[in-house]
Amino acid sequence: MQQRLSPSPNLRRVMLCAGLLVGLAGCEIGDPFSKPAITAPAAWDAASNTALAEWPDTSWWRGFASAELDGLMRQAESNNRDLAAALARIRQAEASARIAGAALLPTLGADGGAGRSWSPSSSSTSSTRTASSGRVVRNSFDLGLTAGYQVDLFGGNRAGSDAALERLAASRYDRETVALTLHADLATAYFQLLSVRDRIRLAEDTLRNAEDVLAVLERQRQLGVASELEVAQQRNSVASQRATIPALRQSERETLTAIALLLGRPPQGFAISTTSLDALALPAVKAGLPSALLARRPDIRKAEADLRAANRDIAVAQAARLPSLDLTMGAGLQSSALHTLLQPQSALYSLAASLTAPLFQGGRLEGQEDLNRARYQELAETYGKAAITAFGDVEDALTSTANAAERYTYAREAFDQAREAYRIVEARYRAGTVPFLNLLDAQRTVFQANDALAQALLGRYTALVDLYKALGGGWTE
């Protein structure tokens, strides 16, 4: 039952004391944040353009000059399930940040009620009436507002809010990491699909050529020019060539399915119109300066945000071990008759302050602080590992890009030489100066060299994708 008060010097003194206690807020505790020192290399070992500060564009895949790939990227950004889940995690973090921030604000509530009680008749007052049965009936009506505020004496509530905001930032960086991985996976799958189509076309051309040679051998056998052994060897070559095609078609189907799933759609009825890697372009990539990489990789920024949140969690744990101050203020109306409820004499006020401090918790609060500190140390190591791994990723990707270009050059030369050798052997075989076995070996060599050339070309594209991914995909905060 609240006591009826009116503004008085005593109340003013209570309010003054409360104001002084509120003034204690801002005495924050906690460790100042210090990001672990990471020494960036002065230059990339494998890059020839180390002095350039340029980086890939955020829409880096457009450098491959494929309108179809650009359209697939837009579909993936709209429909990919992993990306949608990452966005939902951002919304969760936003809600958590609002919940944590609410502790910094006062609370306000309203209440109202009406009651009636009966008791045996003893005496009659102005606030009671006696029923015919001899009972006293009492009515009560009240209406009020109650405000509460927890004074953030040592910054625990502020630290909790800051930690939630850092986790919100981490969730946004995580979404960018998911998007970067999605773009890289989709581009890689797209290039693999076009490459396997090139290889299928190559295998079918080689099969037709082998079948033509077999037809010639069978006619020569009928004329007594070719032997049964030569025919059998060519039939074996034809059958072996046919056997390579189903595996390639299966790879094409699986890659199409993978692309469809990245787009967030069922694979049934899904198709890609481009048929060859030759329809695309190979862009030039500039790696930028190593010192800027830490700000251009969303996974590293996420690791930093997680570390900052863990730092604020230590302050929360420290504040939980110290006293807390709660202020409550009430104002309202109370009357025994509804028609007098809104009159000035029905007003009442209340003001209270409570100071509580944990004395013995069985080591729970100390353990929580130790846990948060250990978590911070773990995330500091995670951040350092992520940074060093990023430098390694870029260095490996730069090396891979250079080596893929060199491999393609040699594969092109090997194919050209194999094709020329086959032309010479075929002419000599027709002239009867070399055995059929030489022609058969030349056929196999041409096919293998051509297939290796197709895979080397794919290697150039996938190496570029890996480099874009290692560089953060052109993302900037």
Side-chain angles (χ1 to χ4, degrees):
M1 189 71 178
Q2 292 178 305
Q3 182 180 1
R4 193 180 297 271
L5 299 172
S6 60
S8 65
N10 289 334
L11 179 59
R12 286 194 293 271
R13 283 193 290 269
V14 172
M15 295 179 66
L16 177 61
C17 291
L20 293 175
L21 289 173
V22 172
L24 292 175
C27 302
E28 294 190 8
I29 58 176
D31 302 335
F33 177 76
S34 177
K35 187 166 60 175
I38 302 295
T39 302
W44 306 113
D45 290 342
S48 60
N49 56 353
T50 52
L52 296 175
E54 300 181 33
W55 291 82
D57 184 78
T58 51
S59 300
W60 52 265
W61 56 85
R62 292 179 180 168
F64 295 100
S66 171
E68 184 175 51
L69 177 59
D70 188 37
L72 293 175
M73 290 293 186
R74 290 196 299 270
Q75 292 182 48
E77 289 172 352
S78 299
N79 303 323
N80 181 263
R81 303 290 182 174
D82 292 334
L83 206 56
L87 186 59
R89 289 193 293 271
I90 291 177
R91 290 196 291 267
Q92 294 174 41
E94 287 175 341
S96 296
R98 290 198 301 272
I99 293 171
L104 298 171
L105 302 174
T107 61
L108 181 65
D111 61 86
R116 172 173 288 189
S117 63
W118 293 266
S119 63
S121 176
S122 57
S123 62
S124 178
T125 67
S126 59
S127 62
T128 63
R129 65 183 179 86
T130 304
S132 57
S133 60
R135 291 181 299 172
V136 176
V137 180
R138 292 183 174 87
N139 295 325
S140 64
F141 303 91
D142 62 86
L143 182 66
L145 294 174
T146 303
Y149 179 67
Q150 185 180 64
V151 181
D152 197 16
L153 287 177
F154 303 102
N157 293 341
R158 170 60 64 185
S161 176
D162 291 344
L165 290 174
E166 291 294 348
R167 291 190 172 93
L168 171 58
S171 69
R172 289 172 175 157
Y173 296 134
D174 179 65
R175 189 264 178 198
E176 296 300 329
T177 302
V178 172
L180 174 59
T181 302
L182 170 63
H183 293 151
D185 290 348
L186 180 55
T188 298
Y190 182 73
F191 298 147
Q192 287 173 343
L193 175 66
L194 302 189
S195 177
V196 78
R197 287 179 172 178
D198 286 334
R199 296 177 65 195
I200 290 173
R201 189 163 48 253
L202 165 64
E204 290 174 341
D205 291 343
T206 303
L207 175 60
R208 283 191 294 270
N209 183 66
E211 289 173 338
D212 291 342
V213 173
L214 177 60
V216 172
L217 283 174
E218 287 179 337
R219 288 195 299 269
Q220 289 178 345
R221 179 180 59 82
Q222 293 172 357
L223 297 173
V225 177
S227 66
E228 288 288 347
L229 176 60
E230 292 174 335
V231 173
Q233 288 175 327
Q234 186 61 16
R235 285 175 178 169
N236 173 268
S237 178
V238 169
S240 298
Q241 189 59 40
R242 285 174 179 163
T244 63
I245 296 177
L248 291 172
R249 293 209 176 277
Q250 178 64 26
S251 178
E252 179 187 24
R253 178 66 264 175
E254 291 174 353
T255 308
L256 268 173
T257 298
I259 294 175
L261 295 180
L262 289 173
L263 300 182
R265 55 164 296 173
Q268 289 76 17
F270 177 69
I272 296 291
S273 61
T274 308
T275 60
S276 175
L277 274 177
D278 292 333
L280 307 185
L282 276 168
V285 184
K286 294 178 177 145
L289 297 175
S291 58
L293 181 65
L294 300 182
R296 298 187 64 90
R297 289 255 305 217
D299 58 331
I300 297 178
R301 298 307 303 271
K302 178 185 182 300
E304 181 183 340
D306 287 336
L307 185 61
R308 290 180 181 275
N311 173 263
R312 302 313 297 152
D313 286 339
I314 295 174
V316 172
Q318 289 176 332
R321 300 174 59 184
L322 299 173
S324 61
L325 174 64
D326 292 288
L327 302 178
T328 57
M329 177 179 291
L333 302 167
Q334 190 176 67
S335 175
S336 61
L338 184 60
H339 67 276
T340 62
L341 181 62
L342 300 180
Q343 295 181 359
Q345 60 268 27
S346 298
L348 58 88
Y349 310 93
S350 66
L351 177 65
S354 63
L355 187 67
T356 59
L359 298 179
F360 179 72
Q361 297 286 334
R364 179 179 64 86
L365 299 180
E366 294 86 346
Q368 184 63 52
E369 182 178 347
D370 291 341
L371 174 63
N372 290 358
R373 287 188 180 279
R375 175 62 175 163
Y376 178 82
Q377 293 170 358
E378 176 194 358
L379 292 176
E381 297 300 327
T382 300
Y383 172 81
K385 179 182 177 181
I388 295 200
T389 299
F391 292 128
D393 289 343
V394 175
E395 200 65 63
D396 289 345
L398 286 169
T399 303
S400 177
T401 302
N403 289 337
E406 186 177 5
R407 176 192 171 196
Y408 177 79
T409 299
Y410 292 140
R412 166 61 67 181
E413 181 181 356
F415 170 69
D416 292 341
Q417 294 300 325
R419 186 171 54 183
E420 177 63 15
Y422 176 76
R423 185 190 65 79
I424 295 173
V425 170
E426 183 183 27
R428 292 181 179 179
Y429 173 76
R430 292 182 184 275
T433 60
V434 296
F436 174 73
L437 186 59
N438 290 17
L439 179 63
L440 194 60
D441 288 341
Q443 284 179 348
R444 293 195 193 98
T445 302
V446 169
F447 170 72
Q448 292 170 357
N450 205 348
D451 192 66
L453 179 62
Q455 295 186 59
L457 180 59
L458 172 63
R460 295 194 68 184
Y461 280 93
T462 56
L464 283 176
V465 173
D466 291 341
L467 179 56
Y468 279 122
K469 184 178 179 181
L471 293 174
W475 173 84
T476 58
E477 188 177 11

